[in-house]
Amino acid sequence: MSPTNILLTLAFAVIFYAFSLALLTAAALATRLPRYPMGAPGALTRQDVRGLLASRPFRLLLVATFLLFGPILANNSYFGLLIHELGGTLTGIGLAFLFAASSEAPFMKAADRLIGRFGMVRLLLLAALISAARWLAYAADPPLWFVYMTTVVQGCSVGLAIPTALQYARRLAPERVQSTAVALYSAVGNGLGAWFCTLVGGYLLERWQIGAVYLFFSICTIVGVLVLLLLAKRERTAGEEK
């Protein structure tokens, strides 16, 4: 057996133990997080939830979340395949994910300041447009160096989109159902959106190639941009009426 094969065999034998150790460490640290008492304003009723879902701006946000976060989360399943098809190595895939994830933290930290300056909908639009441009570039069979360079763009798109959408969901909901609004936002974007885009992406990959997957991601994101534009128009109209 060649040294390369020995290293690969060892890596596959160790990697899951390393993941398990990291998760157990995170669980141990979580037990030391501060605990805050939860207020109990009263039992949540179906009427409260119906009232939340009756809000057209909130429904538009859910649709936009589905279309924007679905491709973002499904990308985690296909990004490594994209790099591999372009000639990248396993080490290169790991480094690309490292650069992408580490670029998110600075933008998440700056999100509150940017929201105060530009507004939530504008910031979501910016993040969505950056994501759409990234997916379109990946669909065009770019050179490998370009993919590595654009991993840091994930910070500007994902790092801004996650905290902004979360705060926007809370703002659109009455105080009594804010927790429910956040749960619905998370379920639609992180759950249904990720499931749908991963499923359709797998079908497209089997039928055509990785470029078709990212073309689908870009179409979803562009439609999400249109939904956000509609939401921004409603906000402007509501502001003028006041």
Side-chain angles (χ1 to χ4, degrees), residues 10 21 37 158 166 171 182 207:
L10 181 63
L21 179 62
V158 181
L166 178 63
R171 199 193 82 178
V182 171
R207 190 79 182 264

Side-chain angles (χ1 to χ4, degrees), residues 122-160:
R122 287 183 180 178
L123 212 57
L124 278 174
L125 274 169
L126 173 63
L129 288 170
I130 292 172
S131 290
R134 185 185 178 198
W135 305 147
L136 281 171
Y138 290 172
D141 196 23
L144 184 60
W145 62 265
F146 177 84
V147 174
Y148 285 134
M149 286 184 63
T150 54
T151 53
V152 295
V153 174
Q154 181 165 315
C156 190
S157 58
V158 181
L160 290 178

Side-chain angles (χ1 to χ4, degrees), residues 97-106:
F97 274 104
L98 174 64
F99 293 150
S102 59
S103 68
E104 296 175 13

